Amino acid sequence: MTERAPLSRKLSAIAESATLKVDAKAKALQAAGRPVISYAAGEPDFATPQFIVDAAAVALRDPANYRYTPAVGLPVLREAIVAKTLRDSGLEVDASQVIVTNGGKQAVYQAFQAVLNPGDEVLLPAPFWTTYPEAIALADGVPVEVFAGADQNYKVTVDQLEAARTDRTTALVFVSPSNPTGSVYTADETRAIGEWALGHGIWVISDEIYQNLVYEGVSAISIVEAVPELADQTILVNGVAKTYAMTGWRLGWMVGPKDAIKVAANLQSHLSSNVNNIAQRAALAALTGPQAEAEQFRQAFDRRRRLIVGELAKIQGVTVPNPLGAFYVYPDVQGLLGREWRGKTPTTSLELADLILEEAEVAVVPGEAFGPSGYLRLSYALGDDALLEGVRRMQELFA
């Protein structure tokens, strides 16, 4: 008998999402009765605001929502995204430049598919969200990591980008506020990077999904607001998941120049067609309705941010840059490595994360998921009591 043909080499090379893997392990331990506290998932613990849920309930009773709608999104939602893009990113676009996607991940995937050809290099500032390199690889691109450590507040410079640029460089990933670090580029830093990309004809994939979650009076200026001329070679990625506690609704979007949006729209017409109409109606309510609860969420994140940064800083050997956006803290834990803790001597942050889970019953994501070893990502999008208890367990472990 002839052997079965092999599976796709491209898909077989794709790694599982590290953050989801750690979160799944934590949930499995919790289900088994262990009192595990998880900082793994980038998911707000708040309920979606009721007025958004009510809008979805109304939409369920409208038979028009039971049918196919335009693959690129409901016209009324695309117009709302146009308004948000002008308000928060300082960019005036037409609705024809918007595609509504199944969450931000699909927008990221389609952005790379739209601008990359086989062998094209993408400059990927590290630490980076775990999905970016895999999405680049799926588009037959080559991720080129450009690392900035805690001493730079995890923000790359133009000099670093220029040193990594080759004649194959086609795109740059720009994320501010950052997942996993929470770092926010200043207006001057953003402008410098934007002008550099413009000068070299490099596409910018700018993930702005955390742009409304900033603290201490900081503003996360969009790269297209800092350098308006860059709009013709930039794709903005965004969504409602983080700001409005709507992770499970799976509603994101991409905004870009018409030619790039056209090829991405063609892809989506075959890949998924329209996003669930109920979720689209809910997103419309989120973007056009009252913003008071979203602001309450932001204030709660800010309180938790200050708490976790202060408590982690009490652990000797841990360096904690102050995150000014998103809901993550990314401590440098190299000072804990190579030392014995309860009979074990971790030499990598992966081993350290395993130690913390086993000995303190606290789940964190190791730096290897986002770039070099020596770091941990903790999401503070969980309840205040659990947040404090988890850090205190770590303080006791490393006392």
Side-chain angles (χ1 to χ4, degrees):
M1 180 181 293
T2 303
E3 290 187 8
R4 188 189 70 178
L7 296 172
S8 163
R9 288 187 295 274
K10 182 188 292 188
L11 294 191
S12 296
I14 296 300
E16 178 185 1
S17 168
T19 52
L20 295 182
K21 182 177 181 179
V22 172
D23 188 54
K25 183 176 181 179
K27 289 176 178 176
L29 290 172
Q30 290 167 343
R34 292 183 60 179
V36 171
I37 293 174
S38 178
Y39 297 96
E43 182 172 43
D45 62 315
F46 307 115
T48 301
Q50 189 60 46
F51 77 93
I52 298 174
V53 178
D54 291 343
V58 171
L60 277 169
R61 294 191 289 272
D62 184 352
N65 292 316
Y66 310 160
R67 306 295 181 186
Y68 291 129
T69 54
V72 292
L74 293 173
V76 66
L77 177 55
R78 294 168 80 197
E79 290 290 352
I81 293 169
V82 165
K84 179 196 167 34
T85 303
L86 178 59
R87 179 178 67 249
D88 293 341
S89 302
L91 179 65
E92 186 172 357
V93 296
D94 185 80
S96 63
Q97 295 175 252
V98 176
I99 301 176
V100 180
T101 60
N102 290 282
K105 277 188 178 180
Q106 184 178 1
V108 168
Y109 170 82
Q110 291 181 173
F112 290 125
Q113 292 287 335
V115 306
L116 296 182
N117 288 295
D120 284 348
E121 294 178 353
V122 181
L123 299 184
L124 182 59
F128 49 76
W129 180 41
T130 183
T131 290
Y132 296 136
E134 307 299 351
I136 292 167
L138 284 169
D140 296 317
V142 180
V144 177
E145 296 182 23
V146 183
F147 178 70
D151 59 323
Q152 296 178 224
N153 204 14
Y154 306 118
K155 296 186 288 186
V156 298
T157 65
V158 167
D159 287 344
Q160 287 181 288
L161 294 174
E162 178 60 24
R165 184 178 65 86
T166 72
D167 58 3
R168 297 295 297 172
T169 302
T170 298
L172 162 71
V173 178
F174 185 75
V175 189
S176 178
S178 164
N179 174 6
T181 69
S183 295
V184 180
Y185 285 81
T186 67
D188 287 344
E189 292 165 342
T190 302
R191 186 175 301 106
I193 291 173
E195 289 175 345
W196 172 83
L198 179 66
H200 293 291
I202 294 171
W203 279 97
V204 176
I205 310 300
S206 183
D207 191 338
E208 299 188 337
I209 200 162
Y210 294 98
Q211 70 181 167
N212 297 123
L213 295 175
V214 288
Y215 316 107
E216 299 186 24
V218 165
S219 174
I221 186 170
S222 174
I223 200 165
V224 290
E225 184 172 7
V227 185
E229 301 88 346
L230 194 64
D232 195 48
Q233 60 196 65
T234 299
I235 296 176
L236 305 179
V237 176
N238 213 321
V240 295
K242 312 299 184 177
T243 301
Y244 300 100
M246 295 179 67
T247 51
W249 295 81
R250 308 314 305 142
L251 197 296
W253 60 82
M254 56 191 299
V255 176
K258 290 184 178 181
D259 55 350
I261 292 300
K262 174 61 177 175
V263 298
N266 290 344
L267 170 60
Q268 183 159 314
S269 72
H270 296 290
L271 181 67
S272 62
S273 297
N274 66 276
V275 173
N276 179 288
N277 292 316
I278 308 306
Q280 290 196 69
R281 292 291 178 181
L284 176 63
L287 294 180
T288 60
Q291 301 298 303
E293 285 179 85
E295 173 58 16
Q296 290 171 8
F297 296 165
R298 190 195 67 81
Q299 291 178 11
F301 288 140
D302 188 19
R303 182 183 66 252
R304 296 170 180 180
R305 176 186 68 91
R306 288 181 272 113
L307 175 63
I308 195 170
V309 167
E311 292 299 316
L312 285 172
K314 294 177 182 178
I315 302 174
Q316 187 175 2
V318 175
T319 300
V320 193
N322 185 33
L324 295 176
F327 39 63
Y328 308 103
V329 61
Y330 201 73
D332 180 331
V333 294
Q334 295 177 75
L336 299 178
L337 303 180
R339 300 167 61 183
E340 184 175 328
W341 307 104
R342 297 188 184 175
K344 301 175 182 177
T345 305
T347 59
T348 66
S349 50
L350 182 62
E351 293 175 355
L352 185 69
D354 285 340
L355 171 70
I356 293 170
L357 181 58
E358 289 304 315
E359 296 295 331
E361 297 186 309
V362 171
V364 297
V365 186
E368 285 86 345
F370 312 105
S373 180
Y375 305 84
L376 299 175
R377 191 195 80 168
L378 291 82
S379 167
Y380 50 85
L382 70 163
D384 295 53
D385 292 342
L387 183 149
L388 185 58
E389 170 63 19
V391 180
R392 286 182 174 166
R393 292 182 190 178
M394 293 174 63
Q395 289 171 342
E396 181 180 350
L397 173 61
F398 298 117

